[in-house]
Amino acid sequence: MNPYEQYMKEVSQPMRDELITAGFEELTTPEEVDEFVSTMEGTSLVVVNSVCGCAAGLARPAVRESLKGDKKPNQLVTVFAGQDREATARMRDYFEGIEPSSPSMALMKNGQVLHFIPREEIEGYEMEEIVNSLVKAYQQYC
């Protein structure tokens, strides 16, 4: 690992931990992504994490807040854009017809995206709007 990669790994660790401590499993390889999608049971929330300000100030806090209710996905997983590039690219392969976006959130069932929140619906929005979008999706699909 070169010094830049090492630095970015250290800088991004607290951003990873924010989701891990909220119950998310990190998928860091394409193989882990394939295994997850092929064994997916019930509904799953997939968060494409990133180091940007809207991930820190809106996406991760909104995701954590959305999970406080009674209805929530069966599984929580995350890939890290810009860090675990191959895993992120593989997960995006499963987001058929959806442009790559980070941060972003996908509610999935049986390998299909049921609800998707791209960066354009995170950046510039209020956290409550993002939470409400997720909670409505949980109520509908979970």
Side-chain angles (χ1 to χ4, degrees):
M1 184 178 298
N2 70 40
Y4 172 75
E5 290 171 332
Q6 183 61 38
Y7 171 77
M8 288 308 294
K9 182 171 174 47
E10 290 170 18
V11 166
S12 67
Q13 193 59 53
M15 300 167 204
R16 293 173 181 273
D17 292 345
E18 208 173 327
L19 291 177
I20 293 168
T21 59
F24 282 79
E25 176 188 352
E26 264 194 317
L27 305 177
T28 60
T29 67
E31 294 77 19
E32 289 175 349
V33 170
D34 288 339
E35 174 72 15
F36 161 72
V37 173
S38 68
T39 61
M40 187 183 292
E41 289 188 18
T43 53
S44 302
L45 180 63
V46 178
V47 175
V48 178
N49 201 354
S50 74
V51 297
C52 72
C54 67
L58 293 167
R60 289 190 302 270
V63 164
R64 289 194 328 270
E65 185 65 28
S66 77
L67 296 170
K68 291 182 178 177
D70 293 335
K71 288 233 179 196
K72 51 189 156 198
N74 301 99
Q75 296 173 287
L76 306 171
V77 297
T78 181
V79 292
F80 207 111
Q83 300 294 304
D84 303 319
R85 288 183 171 91
E86 295 85 9
T88 303
R90 181 63 56 87
M91 184 58 78
R92 286 176 171 155
D93 288 343
Y94 291 103
F95 299 165
E96 289 183 39
I98 298 173
E99 288 293 313
S101 178
S102 58
S104 62
M105 303 153 206
L107 186 63
M108 298 180 74
K109 187 172 188 173
N110 301 325
Q112 301 297 310
V113 176
L114 304 172
H115 183 74
F116 190 80
I117 301 176
R119 180 186 182 116
E120 296 78 38
E121 293 176 27
I122 297 170
E123 194 173 35
Y125 281 71
E126 294 296 321
M127 190 177 92
E128 294 75 27
E129 293 175 291
I130 303 162
V131 171
N132 289 339
S133 178
L134 288 167
V135 169
K136 281 182 187 174
Y138 302 162
Q139 289 170 345
Q140 182 176 353
Y141 299 111
C142 296

